[in-house]
Amino acid sequence: MTDDEQPNWDFKDRDIAILCELSKDPQLSSRELTSVLKAEYDIDVSHVTVSESIRRMRDEGVFREAIIPNEEYYTFALFEFKFNTEHFEDGWRDAMEYIQGSKHTLFYFLSDGEYQWKTVMMFRSSEQISKWIHNCYKEYGDVIANIRNSSVHNVLKFRTDPQIYEDLRGDQTE
């Protein structure tokens, strides 16, 4: 499966339970997970079945695995990019690839509105943030008219709640 393909998966209760438990503790072994599924969900399967289900969901792209450092080590920043439409057509791809390929980019996405590219980035210091912005303007200033950046302080929540996977059971509302 490639990054731009949508996963094709029919969720079983077992799959949703596995995703819930792995979001609580990504280090659970398939044997430990098998015990949790039996005790918490009354799902009786072998550790081989659990392992195979995880592998197939990973291969299909149902979830992604990423190593995200503890927020105490980095300053997280939200960057929003406004474009110079006069030069956008000639240089947008190089600018986009520069941002996407930066070692500082954690999460990169498109949005509607005046600022169309947004990224969550990680830096060790505010000096690194300033240098990155300077170099970006130096290299792609003809495409990017403005970069708005906001530092993220006092991260109060940094995890996925297991309950979010319950929504996979069908069209549910809050």
Side-chain angles (χ1 to χ4, degrees), residues 51-79:
S51 182
E52 179 67 14
S53 183
I54 292 168
R55 185 192 62 74
R56 287 181 41 238
M57 284 192 288
R58 180 185 303 118
D59 289 349
E60 183 58 36
V62 169
F63 66 92
R64 293 185 174 108
E65 294 178 293
I67 296 173
I68 300 176
N70 186 301
E71 62 275 13
E72 295 299 320
Y73 293 117
Y74 290 91
T75 297
F76 290 81
L78 171 67
F79 284 32

PDB file of all heavy atoms in Angstrom, residues 51-79:
ATOM      1  N   SER A  51      -1.226 -11.322  16.219  1.00  0.00           N
ATOM      2  CA  SER A  51      -0.040 -10.862  15.495  1.00  0.00           C
ATOM      3  C   SER A  51      -0.334 -10.682  14.010  1.00  0.00           C
ATOM      4  O   SER A  51       0.068  -9.684  13.391  1.00  0.00           O
ATOM      5  CB  SER A  51       1.104 -11.859  15.707  1.00  0.00           C
ATOM      6  OG  SER A  51       2.261 -11.421  15.073  1.00  0.00           O
ATOM      7  N   GLU A  52      -1.030 -11.645  13.429  1.00  0.00           N
ATOM      8  CA  GLU A  52      -1.385 -11.579  12.008  1.00  0.00           C
ATOM      9  C   GLU A  52      -2.327 -10.408  11.735  1.00  0.00           C
ATOM     10  O   GLU A  52      -2.183  -9.702  10.727  1.00  0.00           O
ATOM     11  CB  GLU A  52      -2.028 -12.899  11.570  1.00  0.00           C
ATOM     12  CG  GLU A  52      -2.461 -12.933  10.131  1.00  0.00           C
ATOM     13  CD  GLU A  52      -1.321 -12.878   9.127  1.00  0.00           C
ATOM     14  OE1 GLU A  52      -0.146 -13.071   9.503  1.00  0.00           O
ATOM     15  OE2 GLU A  52      -1.612 -12.631   7.929  1.00  0.00           O
ATOM     16  N   SER A  53      -3.267 -10.177  12.607  1.00  0.00           N
ATOM     17  CA  SER A  53      -4.199  -9.062  12.436  1.00  0.00           C
ATOM     18  C   SER A  53      -3.453  -7.724  12.476  1.00  0.00           C
ATOM     19  O   SER A  53      -3.698  -6.839  11.651  1.00  0.00           O
ATOM     20  CB  SER A  53      -5.276  -9.112  13.523  1.00  0.00           C
ATOM     21  OG  SER A  53      -6.219  -8.089  13.329  1.00  0.00           O
ATOM     22  N   ILE A  54      -2.543  -7.579  13.409  1.00  0.00           N
ATOM     23  CA  ILE A  54      -1.734  -6.348  13.498  1.00  0.00           C
ATOM     24  C   ILE A  54      -0.917  -6.165  12.226  1.00  0.00           C
ATOM     25  O   ILE A  54      -0.874  -5.074  11.656  1.00  0.00           O
ATOM     26  CB  ILE A  54      -0.816  -6.394  14.737  1.00  0.00           C
ATOM     27  CG1 ILE A  54      -1.643  -6.332  16.018  1.00  0.00           C
ATOM     28  CG2 ILE A  54       0.196  -5.250  14.695  1.00  0.00           C
ATOM     29  CD1 ILE A  54      -0.851  -6.650  17.276  1.00  0.00           C
ATOM     30  N   ARG A  55      -0.272  -7.233  11.775  1.00  0.00           N
ATOM     31  CA  ARG A  55       0.552  -7.148  10.571  1.00  0.00           C
ATOM     32  C   ARG A  55      -0.290  -6.757   9.358  1.00  0.00           C
ATOM     33  O   ARG A  55       0.078  -5.880   8.584  1.00  0.00           O
ATOM     34  CB  ARG A  55       1.270  -8.468  10.291  1.00  0.00           C
ATOM     35  CG  ARG A  55       2.239  -8.386   9.101  1.00  0.00           C
ATOM     36  CD  ARG A  55       2.724  -9.751   8.645  1.00  0.00           C
ATOM     37  NE  ARG A  55       1.661 -10.618   8.186  1.00  0.00           N
ATOM     38  CZ  ARG A  55       1.018 -10.485   7.010  1.00  0.00           C
ATOM     39  NH1 ARG A  55       1.312  -9.497   6.191  1.00  0.00           N
ATOM     40  NH2 ARG A  55       0.059 -11.326   6.664  1.00  0.00           N
ATOM     41  N   ARG A  56      -1.447  -7.379   9.204  1.00  0.00           N
ATOM     42  CA  ARG A  56      -2.298  -7.084   8.050  1.00  0.00           C
ATOM     43  C   ARG A  56      -2.837  -5.649   8.104  1.00  0.00           C
ATOM     44  O   ARG A  56      -2.897  -4.975   7.087  1.00  0.00           O
ATOM     45  CB  ARG A  56      -3.437  -8.106   7.961  1.00  0.00           C
ATOM     46  CG  ARG A  56      -2.927  -9.474   7.488  1.00  0.00           C
ATOM     47  CD  ARG A  56      -3.999 -10.554   7.342  1.00  0.00           C
ATOM     48  NE  ARG A  56      -5.234 -10.077   6.755  1.00  0.00           N
ATOM     49  CZ  ARG A  56      -6.435 -10.157   7.355  1.00  0.00           C
ATOM     50  NH1 ARG A  56      -6.562 -10.698   8.539  1.00  0.00           N
ATOM     51  NH2 ARG A  56      -7.510  -9.709   6.749  1.00  0.00           N
ATOM     52  N   MET A  57      -3.225  -5.184   9.301  1.00  0.00           N
ATOM     53  CA  MET A  57      -3.698  -3.794   9.426  1.00  0.00           C
ATOM     54  C   MET A  57      -2.570  -2.813   9.117  1.00  0.00           C
ATOM     55  O   MET A  57      -2.780  -1.800   8.453  1.00  0.00           O
ATOM     56  CB  MET A  57      -4.267  -3.524  10.824  1.00  0.00           C
ATOM     57  CG  MET A  57      -5.646  -4.106  11.035  1.00  0.00           C
ATOM     58  SD  MET A  57      -6.477  -3.501  12.533  1.00  0.00           S
ATOM     59  CE  MET A  57      -5.559  -4.318  13.827  1.00  0.00           C
ATOM     60  N   ARG A  58      -1.366  -3.122   9.576  1.00  0.00           N
ATOM     61  CA  ARG A  58      -0.210  -2.266   9.292  1.00  0.00           C
ATOM     62  C   ARG A  58       0.075  -2.245   7.792  1.00  0.00           C
ATOM     63  O   ARG A  58       0.249  -1.185   7.195  1.00  0.00           O
ATOM     64  CB  ARG A  58       1.020  -2.763  10.045  1.00  0.00           C
ATOM     65  CG  ARG A  58       2.263  -1.915   9.807  1.00  0.00           C
ATOM     66  CD  ARG A  58       3.507  -2.504  10.464  1.00  0.00           C
ATOM     67  NE  ARG A  58       3.367  -2.689  11.890  1.00  0.00           N
ATOM     68  CZ  ARG A  58       3.429  -3.870  12.508  1.00  0.00           C
ATOM     69  NH1 ARG A  58       3.617  -4.985  11.832  1.00  0.00           N
ATOM     70  NH2 ARG A  58       3.315  -3.950  13.817  1.00  0.00           N
ATOM     71  N   ASP A  59       0.077  -3.424   7.172  1.00  0.00           N
ATOM     72  CA  ASP A  59       0.350  -3.522   5.735  1.00  0.00           C
ATOM     73  C   ASP A  59      -0.710  -2.812   4.901  1.00  0.00           C
ATOM     74  O   ASP A  59      -0.410  -2.238   3.856  1.00  0.00           O
ATOM     75  CB  ASP A  59       0.444  -4.983   5.296  1.00  0.00           C
ATOM     76  CG  ASP A  59       1.694  -5.682   5.805  1.00  0.00           C
ATOM     77  OD1 ASP A  59       2.599  -4.994   6.334  1.00  0.00           O
ATOM     78  OD2 ASP A  59       1.757  -6.929   5.688  1.00  0.00           O
ATOM     79  N   GLU A  60      -1.952  -2.849   5.345  1.00  0.00           N
ATOM     80  CA  GLU A  60      -3.045  -2.205   4.619  1.00  0.00           C
ATOM     81  C   GLU A  60      -3.073  -0.693   4.874  1.00  0.00           C
ATOM     82  O   GLU A  60      -3.733   0.043   4.154  1.00  0.00           O
ATOM     83  CB  GLU A  60      -4.386  -2.838   5.014  1.00  0.00           C
ATOM     84  CG  GLU A  60      -5.580  -2.305   4.260  1.00  0.00           C
ATOM     85  CD  GLU A  60      -5.490  -2.447   2.740  1.00  0.00           C
ATOM     86  OE1 GLU A  60      -4.943  -3.462   2.253  1.00  0.00           O
ATOM     87  OE2 GLU A  60      -5.955  -1.539   2.039  1.00  0.00           O
ATOM     88  N   GLY A  61      -2.331  -0.240   5.883  1.00  0.00           N
ATOM     89  CA  GLY A  61      -2.293   1.194   6.177  1.00  0.00           C
ATOM     90  C   GLY A  61      -3.393   1.659   7.108  1.00  0.00           C
ATOM     91  O   GLY A  61      -3.702   2.851   7.167  1.00  0.00           O
ATOM     92  N   VAL A  62      -3.987   0.733   7.870  1.00  0.00           N
ATOM     93  CA  VAL A  62      -5.036   1.097   8.828  1.00  0.00           C
ATOM     94  C   VAL A  62      -4.462   2.030   9.891  1.00  0.00           C
ATOM     95  O   VAL A  62      -5.124   2.949  10.356  1.00  0.00           O
ATOM     96  CB  VAL A  62      -5.648  -0.164   9.472  1.00  0.00           C
ATOM     97  CG1 VAL A  62      -6.547   0.180  10.644  1.00  0.00           C
ATOM     98  CG2 VAL A  62      -6.402  -0.971   8.421  1.00  0.00           C
ATOM     99  N   PHE A  63      -3.221   1.810  10.279  1.00  0.00           N
ATOM    100  CA  PHE A  63      -2.534   2.705  11.208  1.00  0.00           C
ATOM    101  C   PHE A  63      -1.089   2.847  10.753  1.00  0.00           C
ATOM    102  O   PHE A  63      -0.572   2.041   9.987  1.00  0.00           O
ATOM    103  CB  PHE A  63      -2.619   2.197  12.657  1.00  0.00           C
ATOM    104  CG  PHE A  63      -1.889   0.900  12.894  1.00  0.00           C
ATOM    105  CD1 PHE A  63      -0.572   0.897  13.319  1.00  0.00           C
ATOM    106  CD2 PHE A  63      -2.533  -0.310  12.706  1.00  0.00           C
ATOM    107  CE1 PHE A  63       0.098  -0.299  13.547  1.00  0.00           C
ATOM    108  CE2 PHE A  63      -1.882  -1.514  12.934  1.00  0.00           C
ATOM    109  CZ  PHE A  63      -0.570  -1.507  13.354  1.00  0.00           C
ATOM    110  N   ARG A  64      -0.488   3.914  11.206  1.00  0.00           N
ATOM    111  CA  ARG A  64       0.920   4.167  10.905  1.00  0.00           C
ATOM    112  C   ARG A  64       1.701   4.119  12.195  1.00  0.00           C
ATOM    113  O   ARG A  64       1.194   4.493  13.249  1.00  0.00           O
ATOM    114  CB  ARG A  64       1.078   5.539  10.257  1.00  0.00           C
ATOM    115  CG  ARG A  64       0.449   5.608   8.896  1.00  0.00           C
ATOM    116  CD  ARG A  64       0.764   6.959   8.261  1.00  0.00           C
ATOM    117  NE  ARG A  64       0.275   6.977   6.910  1.00  0.00           N
ATOM    118  CZ  ARG A  64      -0.776   7.687   6.511  1.00  0.00           C
ATOM    119  NH1 ARG A  64      -1.441   8.416   7.367  1.00  0.00           N
ATOM    120  NH2 ARG A  64      -1.154   7.660   5.258  1.00  0.00           N
ATOM    121  N   GLU A  65       2.906   3.686  12.089  1.00  0.00           N
ATOM    122  CA  GLU A  65       3.769   3.672  13.257  1.00  0.00           C
ATOM    123  C   GLU A  65       4.805   4.770  13.086  1.00  0.00           C
ATOM    124  O   GLU A  65       5.367   4.941  12.016  1.00  0.00           O
ATOM    125  CB  GLU A  65       4.462   2.319  13.390  1.00  0.00           C
ATOM    126  CG  GLU A  65       3.467   1.215  13.690  1.00  0.00           C
ATOM    127  CD  GLU A  65       4.126  -0.134  13.765  1.00  0.00           C
ATOM    128  OE1 GLU A  65       4.611  -0.599  12.726  1.00  0.00           O
ATOM    129  OE2 GLU A  65       4.144  -0.699  14.867  1.00  0.00           O
ATOM    130  N   ALA A  66       4.990   5.518  14.149  1.00  0.00           N
ATOM    131  CA  ALA A  66       5.968   6.593  14.120  1.00  0.00           C
ATOM    132  C   ALA A  66       6.610   6.699  15.490  1.00  0.00           C
ATOM    133  O   ALA A  66       5.967   6.434  16.503  1.00  0.00           O
ATOM    134  CB  ALA A  66       5.296   7.914  13.760  1.00  0.00           C
ATOM    135  N   ILE A  67       7.835   7.082  15.488  1.00  0.00           N
ATOM    136  CA  ILE A  67       8.515   7.368  16.744  1.00  0.00           C
ATOM    137  C   ILE A  67       8.414   8.869  16.938  1.00  0.00           C
ATOM    138  O   ILE A  67       8.904   9.646  16.119  1.00  0.00           O
ATOM    139  CB  ILE A  67       9.979   6.914  16.716  1.00  0.00           C
ATOM    140  CG1 ILE A  67      10.035   5.402  16.575  1.00  0.00           C
ATOM    141  CG2 ILE A  67      10.712   7.401  17.952  1.00  0.00           C
ATOM    142  CD1 ILE A  67      11.431   4.852  16.378  1.00  0.00           C
ATOM    143  N   ILE A  68       7.738   9.257  18.003  1.00  0.00           N
ATOM    144  CA  ILE A  68       7.586  10.681  18.303  1.00  0.00           C
ATOM    145  C   ILE A  68       8.286  10.926  19.632  1.00  0.00           C
ATOM    146  O   ILE A  68       7.932  10.325  20.652  1.00  0.00           O
ATOM    147  CB  ILE A  68       6.104  11.078  18.378  1.00  0.00           C
ATOM    148  CG1 ILE A  68       5.437  10.777  17.036  1.00  0.00           C
ATOM    149  CG2 ILE A  68       5.965  12.551  18.752  1.00  0.00           C
ATOM    150  CD1 ILE A  68       3.958  11.023  17.009  1.00  0.00           C
ATOM    151  N   PRO A  69       9.284  11.798  19.620  1.00  0.00           N
ATOM    152  CA  PRO A  69      10.035  12.025  20.857  1.00  0.00           C
ATOM    153  C   PRO A  69       9.181  12.702  21.918  1.00  0.00           C
ATOM    154  O   PRO A  69       8.203  13.377  21.614  1.00  0.00           O
ATOM    155  CB  PRO A  69      11.180  12.935  20.414  1.00  0.00           C
ATOM    156  CG  PRO A  69      10.771  13.503  19.123  1.00  0.00           C
ATOM    157  CD  PRO A  69       9.755  12.601  18.517  1.00  0.00           C
ATOM    158  N   ASN A  70       9.584  12.525  23.143  1.00  0.00           N
ATOM    159  CA  ASN A  70       8.923  13.182  24.259  1.00  0.00           C
ATOM    160  C   ASN A  70       8.965  14.689  24.034  1.00  0.00           C
ATOM    161  O   ASN A  70       9.997  15.252  23.655  1.00  0.00           O
ATOM    162  CB  ASN A  70       9.644  12.812  25.556  1.00  0.00           C
ATOM    163  CG  ASN A  70       8.939  13.327  26.774  1.00  0.00           C
ATOM    164  OD1 ASN A  70       8.731  14.520  26.920  1.00  0.00           O
ATOM    165  ND2 ASN A  70       8.578  12.416  27.660  1.00  0.00           N
ATOM    166  N   GLU A  71       7.842  15.343  24.280  1.00  0.00           N
ATOM    167  CA  GLU A  71       7.725  16.779  24.016  1.00  0.00           C
ATOM    168  C   GLU A  71       8.651  17.633  24.873  1.00  0.00           C
ATOM    169  O   GLU A  71       8.867  18.809  24.582  1.00  0.00           O
ATOM    170  CB  GLU A  71       6.271  17.232  24.184  1.00  0.00           C
ATOM    171  CG  GLU A  71       5.690  17.064  25.565  1.00  0.00           C
ATOM    172  CD  GLU A  71       5.119  15.679  25.834  1.00  0.00           C
ATOM    173  OE1 GLU A  71       5.359  14.731  25.065  1.00  0.00           O
ATOM    174  OE2 GLU A  71       4.432  15.532  26.853  1.00  0.00           O
ATOM    175  N   GLU A  72       9.238  17.055  25.906  1.00  0.00           N
ATOM    176  CA  GLU A  72      10.175  17.812  26.737  1.00  0.00           C
ATOM    177  C   GLU A  72      11.499  18.086  26.010  1.00  0.00           C
ATOM    178  O   GLU A  72      12.235  18.986  26.381  1.00  0.00           O
ATOM    179  CB  GLU A  72      10.444  17.059  28.046  1.00  0.00           C
ATOM    180  CG  GLU A  72       9.222  16.926  28.932  1.00  0.00           C
ATOM    181  CD  GLU A  72       8.651  18.266  29.368  1.00  0.00           C
ATOM    182  OE1 GLU A  72       9.424  19.194  29.679  1.00  0.00           O
ATOM    183  OE2 GLU A  72       7.412  18.380  29.389  1.00  0.00           O
ATOM    184  N   TYR A  73      11.791  17.313  24.969  1.00  0.00           N
ATOM    185  CA  TYR A  73      13.052  17.481  24.248  1.00  0.00           C
ATOM    186  C   TYR A  73      12.996  18.534  23.153  1.00  0.00           C
ATOM    187  O   TYR A  73      14.024  18.963  22.655  1.00  0.00           O
ATOM    188  CB  TYR A  73      13.485  16.157  23.610  1.00  0.00           C
ATOM    189  CG  TYR A  73      13.854  15.099  24.608  1.00  0.00           C
ATOM    190  CD1 TYR A  73      13.123  13.928  24.690  1.00  0.00           C
ATOM    191  CD2 TYR A  73      14.930  15.264  25.475  1.00  0.00           C
ATOM    192  CE1 TYR A  73      13.457  12.935  25.601  1.00  0.00           C
ATOM    193  CE2 TYR A  73      15.268  14.290  26.388  1.00  0.00           C
ATOM    194  CZ  TYR A  73      14.531  13.126  26.449  1.00  0.00           C
ATOM    195  OH  TYR A  73      14.868  12.158  27.346  1.00  0.00           O
ATOM    196  N   TYR A  74      11.796  18.923  22.725  1.00  0.00           N
ATOM    197  CA  TYR A  74      11.671  19.797  21.565  1.00  0.00           C
ATOM    198  C   TYR A  74      10.669  20.906  21.812  1.00  0.00           C
ATOM    199  O   TYR A  74       9.770  20.782  22.631  1.00  0.00           O
ATOM    200  CB  TYR A  74      11.200  18.999  20.331  1.00  0.00           C
ATOM    201  CG  TYR A  74      12.258  18.061  19.828  1.00  0.00           C
ATOM    202  CD1 TYR A  74      12.323  16.754  20.284  1.00  0.00           C
ATOM    203  CD2 TYR A  74      13.211  18.488  18.909  1.00  0.00           C
ATOM    204  CE1 TYR A  74      13.308  15.898  19.841  1.00  0.00           C
ATOM    205  CE2 TYR A  74      14.191  17.630  18.465  1.00  0.00           C
ATOM    206  CZ  TYR A  74      14.249  16.336  18.934  1.00  0.00           C
ATOM    207  OH  TYR A  74      15.224  15.496  18.506  1.00  0.00           O
ATOM    208  N   THR A  75      10.840  21.979  21.062  1.00  0.00           N
ATOM    209  CA  THR A  75       9.826  23.012  20.948  1.00  0.00           C
ATOM    210  C   THR A  75       9.038  22.669  19.699  1.00  0.00           C
ATOM    211  O   THR A  75       9.605  22.537  18.611  1.00  0.00           O
ATOM    212  CB  THR A  75      10.464  24.407  20.791  1.00  0.00           C
ATOM    213  OG1 THR A  75      11.225  24.702  21.965  1.00  0.00           O
ATOM    214  CG2 THR A  75       9.400  25.473  20.581  1.00  0.00           C
ATOM    215  N   PHE A  76       7.750  22.491  19.864  1.00  0.00           N
ATOM    216  CA  PHE A  76       6.883  22.228  18.722  1.00  0.00           C
ATOM    217  C   PHE A  76       6.350  23.563  18.224  1.00  0.00           C
ATOM    218  O   PHE A  76       6.068  24.460  19.012  1.00  0.00           O
ATOM    219  CB  PHE A  76       5.732  21.303  19.118  1.00  0.00           C
ATOM    220  CG  PHE A  76       6.175  19.900  19.394  1.00  0.00           C
ATOM    221  CD1 PHE A  76       6.721  19.552  20.615  1.00  0.00           C
ATOM    222  CD2 PHE A  76       6.063  18.930  18.415  1.00  0.00           C
ATOM    223  CE1 PHE A  76       7.141  18.262  20.862  1.00  0.00           C
ATOM    224  CE2 PHE A  76       6.481  17.631  18.665  1.00  0.00           C
ATOM    225  CZ  PHE A  76       7.022  17.300  19.883  1.00  0.00           C
ATOM    226  N   ALA A  77       6.244  23.684  16.916  1.00  0.00           N
ATOM    227  CA  ALA A  77       5.771  24.938  16.332  1.00  0.00           C
ATOM    228  C   ALA A  77       4.798  24.632  15.197  1.00  0.00           C
ATOM    229  O   ALA A  77       4.973  23.668  14.461  1.00  0.00           O
ATOM    230  CB  ALA A  77       6.950  25.750  15.807  1.00  0.00           C
ATOM    231  N   LEU A  78       3.774  25.464  15.092  1.00  0.00           N
ATOM    232  CA  LEU A  78       2.829  25.386  13.992  1.00  0.00           C
ATOM    233  C   LEU A  78       3.215  26.464  12.997  1.00  0.00           C
ATOM    234  O   LEU A  78       3.322  27.635  13.351  1.00  0.00           O
ATOM    235  CB  LEU A  78       1.394  25.621  14.487  1.00  0.00           C
ATOM    236  CG  LEU A  78       0.340  25.776  13.393  1.00  0.00           C
ATOM    237  CD1 LEU A  78       0.155  24.467  12.629  1.00  0.00           C
ATOM    238  CD2 LEU A  78      -0.985  26.245  13.983  1.00  0.00           C
ATOM    239  N   PHE A  79       3.462  26.067  11.755  1.00  0.00           N
ATOM    240  CA  PHE A  79       3.798  27.010  10.690  1.00  0.00           C
ATOM    241  C   PHE A  79       2.661  27.037   9.681  1.00  0.00           C
ATOM    242  O   PHE A  79       2.138  25.987   9.309  1.00  0.00           O
ATOM    243  CB  PHE A  79       5.068  26.575   9.952  1.00  0.00           C
ATOM    244  CG  PHE A  79       6.354  26.840  10.690  1.00  0.00           C
ATOM    245  CD1 PHE A  79       6.436  26.807  12.062  1.00  0.00           C
ATOM    246  CD2 PHE A  79       7.508  27.109   9.974  1.00  0.00           C
ATOM    247  CE1 PHE A  79       7.639  27.038  12.720  1.00  0.00           C
ATOM    248  CE2 PHE A  79       8.706  27.335  10.623  1.00  0.00           C
ATOM    249  CZ  PHE A  79       8.769  27.306  11.999  1.00  0.00           C
TER     250      PHE A  79
END
